[in-house]
């Protein structure tokens, strides 16, 4: 059954197994694991365009999220109420994005955090429009979630 699942399904099963394994290994107590992530700064445009030359690279220590390869900061309010200006999000490097997934994209040389939709890249804030699919869109990765503040 596991082999019949797609990547997302296998990731979910692996996450559940890891969760239970950690629970048993720690005698019924959760021990949070922190690791160092490459942090691209507040570059994921959610209403404010950020160009690659403006990216501050640093390393930050954050709670581990299985599957995450790096982190970026959200800049702007176009993804509210899902993500807010200043949120730090975990990103998995992949080009495999499905409709409904939130991803990190490059459009016209700028980084964006948006929902991938059939008509383009959708904002969650109704005050912003959709970036049309007719533009050249490069998928950088899939957003897995945000760090706790």
């Amino acid at each position: 059954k596991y082999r019949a699942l797609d990547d997302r399904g296998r990731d979910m099963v692996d996450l559940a197994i890891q969760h239970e394994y950690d629970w048993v290994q720690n005698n019924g107590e959760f021990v949070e694991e922190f690791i160092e992530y490459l942090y691209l700064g507040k570059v994921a445009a959610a209403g404010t365009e950020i160009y690659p030359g403006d990216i501050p690279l640093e390393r930050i220590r954050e709670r581990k999220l299985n599957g995450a390869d790096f982190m970026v900061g959200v800049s702007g309010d176009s993804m509210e109420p899902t993500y807010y200006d200043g949120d730090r999000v975990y990103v998995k490097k992949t080009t495999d994005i499905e409709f409904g997934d939130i991803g990190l994209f490059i459009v016209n040389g700028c980084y964006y955090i948006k929902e991938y939709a059939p008509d383009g890249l959708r904002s969650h804030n109704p005050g912003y429009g959709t970036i049309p699919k007719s533009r050249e869109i490069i998928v950088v990765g899939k957003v897995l979630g945000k760090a706790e503040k």
Side-chain angles (χ1 to χ4, degrees):
K1 289 180 184 179
Y2 181 82
R3 281 183 238 123
L5 297 173
D6 61 9
D7 286 341
R8 182 178 180 277
R10 284 191 294 273
D11 287 346
M12 295 302 292
V13 171
D14 291 343
L15 183 63
I17 290 170
Q18 185 65 48
H19 180 81
E20 289 303 310
Y21 177 81
D22 291 345
W23 178 262
V24 170
Q25 292 299 308
N26 294 302
N27 298 317
E29 294 182 24
F30 283 110
V31 177
E32 291 190 78
E33 184 178 350
F34 283 76
I35 64 170
E36 213 171 76
Y37 285 100
L38 177 64
Y39 178 62
L40 304 183
K42 197 173 160 183
V43 302
T48 307
E49 292 183 342
I50 306 292
Y51 295 92
D54 300 332
I55 297 175
L57 296 177
E58 62 182 283
R59 291 207 160 277
I60 60 170
R61 193 162 171 73
E62 191 58 72
R63 283 181 180 84
K64 180 180 178 183
L65 181 64
N66 289 336
D69 295 308
F70 63 95
M71 297 183 77
V72 297
V74 176
S75 178
D77 64 352
S78 72
M79 286 303 288
E80 290 181 5
T82 309
Y83 297 107
Y84 290 86
D85 184 62
D87 281 349
R88 290 189 314 258
V89 298
Y90 296 93
V91 179
K92 175 182 181 176
K93 289 187 285 188
T94 183
T95 57
D96 187 24
I97 298 284
E98 297 179 11
F99 295 139
D101 288 343
I102 296 175
L104 181 65
F105 305 92
I106 298 175
V107 180
N108 295 335
C110 295
Y111 287 89
Y112 290 91
I113 178 173
K114 299 290 179 192
E115 178 184 331
Y116 184 59
D119 58 342
L121 303 181
R122 207 174 276 160
S123 298
H124 286 183
N125 183 333
Y128 290 83
T130 297
I131 296 173
K133 200 164 188 167
S134 61
R135 289 192 171 169
E136 182 182 352
I137 297 171
I138 299 168
V139 179
V140 176
K142 180 178 176 178
V143 174
L144 302 179
K146 66 181 171 184
E148 295 177 23
K149 288 190 177 185

